[in-house]
């Protein structure tokens, strides 16, 4: 790797989207229990993982995230009945798209974490941080980067449209 | 600048307020550096720090800046929004600011408490603050919608907790629906003979409450019933209750027992659930003499008529009041309630899971619940403690912590076992004069009069051996051990392994969550801890609330508890429900979805997405429309909308995109 930031000192920046009811609460619990974990994941709160627009993930990578983590309630536990299933369906498609863009699989992760699983927040964050650290900084081809704003996003939209139609 | 950044109160002027939280945050995050950083972010006009932002002087800082016109949007960087979002929103309202032009950055639970080193903690705090600042500039002023609260309360579970909550609410004039899945209320407490540490008779203190429930004009008691559906939200729950057929008309039956006498089976044939299998009952039965309601029930599984359709049906003929109806069907009741209290209780640990203690292998090894029934005057032995051969035991061993404080089963302490073991030791000694040996890990007797009760037992010459029991065996090594049960344990106070021969072993089983706790919590949309106990909103300050507004917890469904604690918690849950109902209305979060009609292409993608059927298609306009009263604000439709016509208040695409920019751009 010829990046000026060598893997030894490379501190990845990872954006997480946690649902309000399960995973965000679990992260609060990890805090209350003083569970120490890697400082690399920055958590944004959404009400439900079902609110996750695949574009948020693309935007995070575009803005410089080296990894993206999604946290939702376990299957069957969604506060809004089934938002997590919808998130799951969207991410399956999104993963393929990320692969096409040359974004390695390990940079994106969806995890079900219940409100009581503070330890799982700790474990998941440590794991994704280590995986992304190993992968090194995300380097999008300049061409691909410029495509993000237009063609790729349109592609994502079409893809999500197709997916919704199928449901 | 996005057009949305200009709101009715002018261009954004963001105030950033960074909380030290004593040293909780300031011990890890470099506050001075963070304040300086925040002050340089776009649209920030004021950046301040304070020791405790949630304190009155802290809130005054914000209010003063709003009143002075220095800020019109606020970011507080402190604890979790789940903790203090309400506090700061109220503070803004008081200063005539719109409470939704506000965002919190969680730099305590998500930063200072979980990060070991100062520098990365400071960087992360800055990133979260920048995200909040970017996003809050796009917030719009919003109004909360106020909806009326239904005045009735549903209580699920008719043990002592449910009974106490029901009576408290009913006495205050609230209409209560008490739903119990067993044929009678009373729960575990009805099975006990005496209660620790006062040794008052469980039935004497419980049955008056049970009959009050039955007689109370404000309580609708539905036994042998289960909640099968819950819809709606705080203040407005629609609940479906299934009333299972008991084949006896409740209104007609007077509990005279004639039908049971008349049953073609002359003796009991089925394990009696109330006596935990220590006696047999008939297919038609009343669980126990004080059952409430005192109404017979036919067990379809064992009744000859239901099995073979060829019974002479003596029971039907014997009933003068014609109360037996073999064609009774299940009934579904629908009720509207404003609040729900869950008091679904616990189950005892199955001692079979620890095979080395010989439960179900040696006939004289009993679970503590079986002994509770045995010492009960209305129990299977009429209160006599006796061995399977009918003799009284000369020595009894009580094994503590069976299924508690054990890495292989449950790690937690079940809280009640030490005390009920002492009670059983006392009762066994009183009834039989046997030598009683208690094998304990630690004696845990915190509570009013509890330690004194322990001392009393010591004076009564009950033996206490400190050590976890290794095994219960019938393998005799000396003639004295022949034909007896031998308890092998390390006596950690003496430092030697002991073998104590006894005639009867009592396994003090721990408390576990109900086997269907997971289904119940899904039904009511609440969370469970890893062990299956229902999760309270806050372990200290909101112990009877849940994360679902309007759903409260009482008793052991939240965690192991003794009777005084259950009763206290039931009172607390009743008070919470009362506060909600007497307020008369609830204010709903305005984070619902809305539609930008000119962008809607009428593709109908969103309609199938909504779990609440809140979206409909307006044929004339060829656009979707949202019913704000039904929308709960999950945002699933917003994520699905291909044209960006659907948006969610407080979570618009624009706000989230800016939040992403904010969290990554500056540090």
């Amino acid at each position: 790797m010829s990046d000026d930031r060598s893997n030894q000192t490379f501190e990845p920046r990872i954006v997480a989207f946690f649902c309000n009811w399960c995973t965000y609460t679990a992260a609060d619990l990890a805090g209350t229990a003083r569970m120490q974990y890697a400082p690399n994941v920055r958590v944004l709160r959404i009400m439900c993982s079902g609110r996750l627009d695949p574009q948020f993930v693309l935007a995070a990578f575009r803005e410089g995230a080296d990894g993206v983590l999604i946290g939702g309630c376990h299957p069957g536990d969604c506060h809004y009945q089934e938002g997590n299933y919808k998130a799951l369906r969207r991410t399956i498609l999104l993963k393929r798209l990320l692969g096409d863009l040359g974004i390695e699989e390990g940079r994106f992760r969806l995890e079900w974490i219940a409100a009581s699983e503070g330890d799982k927040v700790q474990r998941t964050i440590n794991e994704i941080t280590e995986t992304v650290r190993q992968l090194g900084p995300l380097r999008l081809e300049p061409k691909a980067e410029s495509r993000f704003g237009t063609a790729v996003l349109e592609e994502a939209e079409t893809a999500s449209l197709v997916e919704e139609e199928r449901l | 600048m996005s057009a949305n950044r200009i709101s009715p109160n002018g261009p954004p002027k963001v105030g950033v307020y960074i909380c030290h939280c004593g040293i909780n945050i300031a011990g890890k995050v470099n506050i001075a550096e963070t304040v300086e950083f925040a002050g340089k972010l776009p649209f920030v006009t004021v950046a301040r720090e304070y020791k405790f932002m949630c304190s009155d002087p802290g809130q005054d800082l914000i209010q003063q800046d709003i009143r002075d016109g220095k800020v019109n949007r606020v970011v507080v960087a402190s604890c979790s929004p789940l903790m203090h979002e309400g506090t700061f929103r109220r503070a803004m309202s008081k200063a005539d600011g719109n409470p939704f032009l506000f965002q919190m950055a969680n730099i305590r639970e998500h930063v200072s408490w979980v990060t070991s080193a100062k520098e990365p903690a400071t960087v992360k705090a800055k990133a979260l603050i920048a995200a909040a600042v970017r996003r809050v500039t796009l917030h719009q002023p919003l109004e909360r919608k106020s909806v009326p609260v239904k005045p009735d309360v549903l209580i699920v579970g008719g043990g002592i907790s449910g009974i106490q909550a029901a009576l408290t609410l009913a006495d205050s004039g609230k209409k209560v629906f008490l739903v119990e899945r067993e044929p009678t209320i009373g729960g575990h407490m009805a099975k006990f003979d005496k209660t620790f540490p006062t040794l008052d008779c469980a039935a004497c203190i419980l049955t008056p409450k049970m009959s009050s429930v039955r007689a109370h004009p404000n309580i609708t008691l539905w036994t042998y019933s289960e909640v099968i559906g819950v819809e709606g939200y705080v203040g407005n729950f629609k609940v479906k209750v299934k009333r299972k057929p008991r084949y006896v008309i409740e209104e007609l039956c007077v509990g005279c027992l004639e039908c049971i006498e008349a049953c073609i089976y002359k003796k009991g044939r089925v394990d009696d659930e109330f006596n935990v299998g220590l006696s047999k009952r008939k297919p038609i039965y009343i669980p126990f003499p004080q059952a409430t309601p005192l109404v017979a029930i036919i067990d379809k599984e064992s009744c000859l008529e239901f099995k073979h359709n060829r019974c002479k049906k003596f029971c039907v003929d014997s009933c003068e009041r014609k109360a037996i109806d073999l064609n009774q069907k299940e009934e579904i009741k629908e009720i509207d309630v404003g609040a729900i209290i869950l008091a679904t209780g616990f189950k005892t640990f199955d001692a079979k899971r620890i095979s080395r203690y010989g439960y179900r292998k040696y006939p004289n090894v009993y679970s503590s619940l079986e002994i509770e029934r045995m010492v009960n005057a209305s129990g299977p032995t009429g209160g006599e403690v006796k061995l399977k051969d009918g003799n009284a035991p000369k020595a009894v061993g009580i094994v503590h912590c069976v299924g508690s404080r054990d890495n292989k089963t449950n790690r937690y302490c079940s809280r009640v076992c030490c005390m009920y073991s002492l009670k059983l030791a006392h009762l066994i000694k009183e009834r039989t004069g046997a030598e009683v040996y208690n094998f304990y890990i630690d004696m845990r007797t915190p509570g009013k009069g509890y330690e004194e009760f322990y001392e009393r037992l010591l004076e009564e010459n009950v033996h206490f051996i400190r050590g976890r029991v290794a095994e219960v065996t019938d393998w005799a090594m000396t003639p004295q051990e022949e034909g007896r049960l031998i308890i092998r344990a390390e006596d950690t106070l003496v430092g030697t392994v002991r073998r104590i021969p006894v005639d009867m072993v009592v396994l003090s089983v721990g408390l576990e969550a109900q086997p269907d706790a997971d289904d119940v919590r899904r039904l009511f949309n609440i969370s469970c801890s890893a062990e299956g106990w229902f999760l309270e909103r806050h372990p200290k300050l909101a112990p009877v609330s849940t994360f679902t507004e309007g759903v409260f917890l009482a008793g052991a469904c939240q965690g192991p508890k003794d009777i005084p604690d259950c009763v206290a918690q039931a009172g607390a849950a009743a008070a919470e429900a009362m506060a909600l109902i007497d307020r008369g209305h609830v204010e709903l979060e305005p984070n619902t979805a809305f539609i930008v009609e000119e962008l809607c292409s009428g593709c109908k993608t969103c309609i199938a997405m909504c779990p609440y059927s809140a979206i409909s298609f307006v044929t004339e306009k060829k656009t979707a429309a949202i019913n704000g009263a039904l929308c709960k604000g999950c945002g699933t439709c917003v994520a699905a909308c291909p044209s960006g016509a659907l948006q969610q208040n407080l979570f618009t695409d624009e706000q989230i995109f800016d939040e992403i920019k904010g969290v990554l751009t500056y540090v």
Side-chain angles (χ1 to χ4, degrees):
Chain A
M1 180 144 286
S2 60
D3 195 86
D4 50 335
R5 296 184 287 177
S6 79
N7 268 355
Q8 294 301 313
T9 56
F10 167 57
E11 285 299 336
R13 295 187 308 164
I14 298 163
V15 175
F17 298 90
F18 283 176
C19 84
N20 180 67
W21 302 98
C22 289
T23 314
Y24 195 90
T25 310
D28 278 2
L29 177 66
T32 311
R34 312 297 198 276
M35 295 175 182
Q36 303 294 297
Y37 56 76
N40 307 59
V41 174
R42 302 166 179 186
V43 178
L44 305 183
R45 180 168 69 119
I46 46 182
M47 292 311 286
C48 176
S49 55
R51 174 67 185 91
L52 186 88
D53 191 323
Q55 289 186 66
F56 297 161
V57 178
L58 296 174
F61 282 123
R62 180 186 62 209
E63 299 298 337
D66 300 299
V68 176
L69 170 66
I70 315 297
C73 306
H74 283 272
D77 288 3
C78 176
H79 190 81
Y80 304 102
Q81 299 181 13
E82 49 198 25
N84 49 356
Y85 290 109
K86 285 157 189 161
L88 176 65
R89 287 179 192 164
R90 287 176 190 137
T91 54
I92 289 169
L93 203 76
L94 176 65
K95 275 184 185 168
R96 276 194 252 157
L97 185 73
L98 293 176
D100 290 349
L101 291 165
I103 297 173
E104 298 91 335
E105 215 183 313
R107 294 189 189 274
F108 176 75
R109 181 162 169 185
L110 170 71
E111 201 63 61
W112 309 132
I113 304 178
S116 57
E117 297 179 316
D119 54 334
K120 193 170 177 187
V121 169
Q122 179 189 40
R123 200 166 63 240
T124 307
I125 286 183
N126 282 339
E127 281 171 10
I128 192 171
T129 304
E130 210 30 60
T131 308
V132 174
R133 200 195 305 277
Q134 293 304 322
L135 289 169
L138 174 67
R139 303 205 296 157
L140 295 166
E141 292 301 318
K143 219 173 152 190
E145 221 162 347
S146 67
R147 283 173 58 215
F148 258 133
T150 54
V152 174
L153 285 184
E154 275 164 29
E155 196 182 319
E157 275 170 11
T158 319
S160 74
L161 187 60
V162 170
E163 173 227 4
E164 309 293 7
E165 294 266 287
R166 268 210 327 238
L167 297 176
Chain B
M1 194 193 331
S2 160
N4 284 338
R5 279 197 232 273
I6 297 173
S7 53
N9 50 359
K13 290 184 274 184
V14 181
V16 180
Y17 302 86
I18 298 167
C19 181
H20 295 203
C21 195
I23 57 160
N24 282 308
I25 294 169
K28 275 283 158 59
V29 175
N30 184 331
I31 300 282
E33 199 185 306
T34 311
V35 172
E36 196 195 333
F37 165 85
K40 289 179 186 157
L41 289 169
F43 304 107
V44 172
T45 50
V46 171
R48 298 185 197 279
E49 58 182 288
Y50 192 71
K51 218 161 179 59
F52 290 103
M53 277 311 299
C54 60
S55 66
D56 279 350
Q59 295 182 42
D60 286 346
L61 284 178
I62 303 175
Q63 290 169 334
Q64 201 52 50
D65 285 343
I66 295 175
R67 291 200 184 99
D68 293 347
K70 287 184 190 159
V71 308
N72 55 22
R73 282 146 206 274
V74 170
V75 168
V76 175
S78 58
C79 49
S80 169
L82 304 183
M83 188 89 153
H84 268 313
E85 192 171 58
T87 311
F88 295 115
R89 280 181 175 173
R90 273 191 298 276
M92 287 187 72
S93 295
K94 278 187 202 155
D96 295 326
N98 186 285
F100 298 99
L101 299 176
F102 170 75
Q103 180 71 14
M104 263 177 110
N106 185 348
I107 62 167
R108 192 180 73 173
E109 281 84 344
H110 288 195
V111 181
S112 64
W113 278 351
V114 293
T115 311
S116 329
K118 283 190 175 179
E119 203 208 317
T122 307
V123 169
K124 192 173 171 186
K126 285 179 186 171
L128 294 180
I129 291 168
V133 167
R134 290 286 302 235
R135 148 195 249 291
V136 83
T137 60
L138 290 162
H139 279 204
Q140 297 293 321
L142 298 167
E143 295 297 328
R144 280 202 185 90
K145 203 169 55 189
S146 177
V147 290
V149 167
K150 297 273 184 333
D152 301 345
V153 182
L154 166 71
I155 298 176
V156 188
I160 180 60
S161 307
I163 289 172
Q164 182 70 22
L167 288 173
T168 309
L169 282 161
D171 284 346
S172 80
K174 305 285 176 281
K175 296 264 183 235
V176 175
F177 294 93
L178 179 58
V179 176
E180 164 61 51
R181 85 168 141 197
E182 299 297 330
T184 171
I185 56 170
H188 279 96
M189 187 177 171
K191 295 190 165 101
F192 304 156
D193 182 49
K194 300 282 190 293
T195 55
F196 61 76
T198 47
L199 296 176
D200 33 0
C201 147
C204 311
I205 55 178
L206 179 65
T207 49
K209 282 187 182 286
M210 288 163 65
S211 21
S212 302
V213 165
R214 178 76 165 145
H216 208 297
N218 286 338
I219 299 179
T220 305
L221 173 61
W222 286 334
T223 53
Y224 209 48
S225 304
E226 281 177 53
V227 175
I228 53 165
V230 182
E231 279 176 27
Y233 51 91
V234 52
N236 295 272
F237 295 106
K238 274 197 180 309
V239 180
K240 269 192 199 151
V241 180
K242 179 169 82 181
R243 302 213 61 201
K244 296 177 278 187
R246 62 196 297 156
Y247 305 108
V248 175
I249 300 164
E250 219 174 295
E251 294 71 26
L252 295 180
C253 177
V254 289
C256 70
L257 311 179
E258 286 293 331
C259 52
I260 302 172
E261 203 55 41
C263 178
I264 194 150
Y265 288 135
K266 287 297 152 226
K267 275 184 174 166
R269 307 265 297 218
V270 192
D271 277 351
D272 184 341
E273 297 87 353
F274 191 75
N275 281 334
V276 280
L278 291 181
S279 66
K280 302 281 182 193
R281 61 159 173 82
K282 294 181 181 180
I284 185 162
Y285 67 106
I286 287 179
F288 62 105
Q290 298 93 350
T292 306
L294 194 65
V295 173
I297 176 168
I298 296 176
D299 166 18
K300 206 177 156 183
E301 299 303 311
S302 55
C303 172
L304 212 56
E305 173 62 16
F306 281 101
K307 270 162 74 181
H308 303 295
N309 223 353
R310 284 211 313 261
C311 183
K312 292 183 179 154
K313 293 180 269 192
F314 292 140
C315 59
V316 178
D317 300 336
S318 73
C319 183
E320 283 174 17
R321 299 174 59 88
K322 305 279 167 254
I324 297 180
D325 174 10
L326 298 175
N327 296 316
Q328 204 174 53
K329 297 276 174 296
E330 73 171 37
E331 237 185 305
I332 307 290
K333 300 270 191 186
E334 288 191 31
I335 51 173
D336 291 311
V337 295
I340 296 173
I341 296 175
L342 296 180
T344 53
F346 65 93
K347 79 167 183 73
T348 50
F349 176 80
D350 178 7
K352 279 207 298 287
R353 283 169 58 194
I354 306 181
S355 58
R356 62 182 191 281
Y357 290 165
Y359 185 67
R360 291 278 187 262
K361 180 178 172 198
Y362 307 121
N364 288 314
V365 176
Y366 289 94
S367 79
S368 46
L369 196 56
E370 288 166 337
I371 299 297
E372 293 280 1
R373 290 310 298 150
M374 212 187 262
V375 295
N376 193 306
S378 60
T381 58
E384 270 186 77
V385 178
K386 47 187 183 184
L387 302 168
K388 281 276 147 63
D389 63 9
N391 294 323
K394 293 197 173 57
V396 177
I398 301 180
V399 181
H400 291 216
C401 297
V402 178
S404 307
R405 305 186 69 198
D406 175 7
N407 278 335
K408 292 202 181 87
T409 55
N410 296 310
R411 290 175 60 194
Y412 55 84
C413 167
S414 292
R415 282 190 62 189
V416 294
C417 322
C418 279
M419 285 308 295
Y420 79 57
S421 298
L422 292 177
K423 172 191 75 180
L424 291 176
H426 170 85
L427 293 175
I428 291 169
K429 193 146 183 94
E430 182 186 76
R431 308 270 161 98
T432 64
E435 291 297 325
V436 181
Y437 300 87
N438 273 269
F439 295 84
Y440 67 99
I441 306 177
D442 297 291
M443 283 306 297
R444 296 195 164 171
T445 57
K448 209 172 178 181
Y450 289 12
E451 181 69 13
E452 293 87 330
F453 188 64
Y454 175 33
E455 278 170 22
R456 174 177 167 184
L457 267 280
L458 287 169
E459 281 163 20
E460 284 175 6
N461 289 325
V462 168
H463 306 283
F464 288 87
I465 296 169
R466 183 168 170 271
R468 182 188 282 280
V469 169
E471 68 169 342
V472 174
T473 175
D474 61 354
W475 186 47
M477 289 175 76
T478 62
Q480 292 90 332
E481 289 179 359
E482 212 64 62
R484 305 183 82 185
L485 291 166
I486 299 103
I487 299 177
R488 214 161 60 84
E490 183 189 359
D491 187 331
T492 55
L493 292 179
V494 182
T496 178
V497 175
R498 294 178 67 176
R499 293 171 61 88
I500 310 276
V502 295
D503 307 305
M504 176 187 267
V505 174
V506 181
L507 301 178
S508 294
V509 288
L511 273 46
E512 285 187 333
Q514 292 276 16
D516 59 349
D518 218 41
D519 300 331
V520 173
R521 101 187 144 87
R522 279 182 188 159
L523 193 59
F524 292 94
N525 211 350
I526 61 168
S527 301
C528 272
S529 69
E531 300 90 8
W533 306 110
F534 295 153
L535 202 62
E536 64 283 356
R537 195 180 185 100
H538 191 279
K540 294 169 193 80
L541 300 179
V544 299
S545 304
T546 65
F547 287 99
T548 299
E549 297 262 356
V551 178
F552 305 101
L553 304 175
C557 61
Q558 182 259 347
K561 254 174 225 76
D562 59 12
I563 294 167
D565 284 3
C566 283
V567 171
Q569 212 190 15
E576 293 278 1
M578 228 180 284
L580 168 65
I581 286 168
D582 284 350
R583 195 163 68 229
H585 68 275
V586 280
E587 300 216 309
L588 301 181
E589 274 295 287
N591 58 8
T592 47
F594 62 95
I595 193 151
V596 186
E597 271 181 20
E598 52 274 29
L599 293 178
C600 178
S601 65
C603 73
K604 301 185 192 170
T605 302
C606 53
I607 293 172
M609 286 289 111
C610 181
Y612 307 104
S613 310
I615 314 178
S616 55
F617 186 70
V618 186
T619 323
E620 308 86 70
K621 290 198 208 163
K622 293 201 174 66
T623 58
I626 292 178
N627 180 342
L630 294 177
C631 174
K632 293 196 183 174
C634 64
T636 301
C637 59
V638 186
C641 179
S643 46
L646 271 166
Q647 288 302 331
Q648 181 185 9
N649 281 320
L650 291 172
F651 295 90
T652 63
D653 284 344
E654 202 181 21
Q655 286 162 359
I656 296 175
F657 281 128
D658 244 50
E659 200 177 9
I660 296 168
K661 276 199 186 104
V663 85
L664 289 164
T665 306
Y666 303 91
V667 274

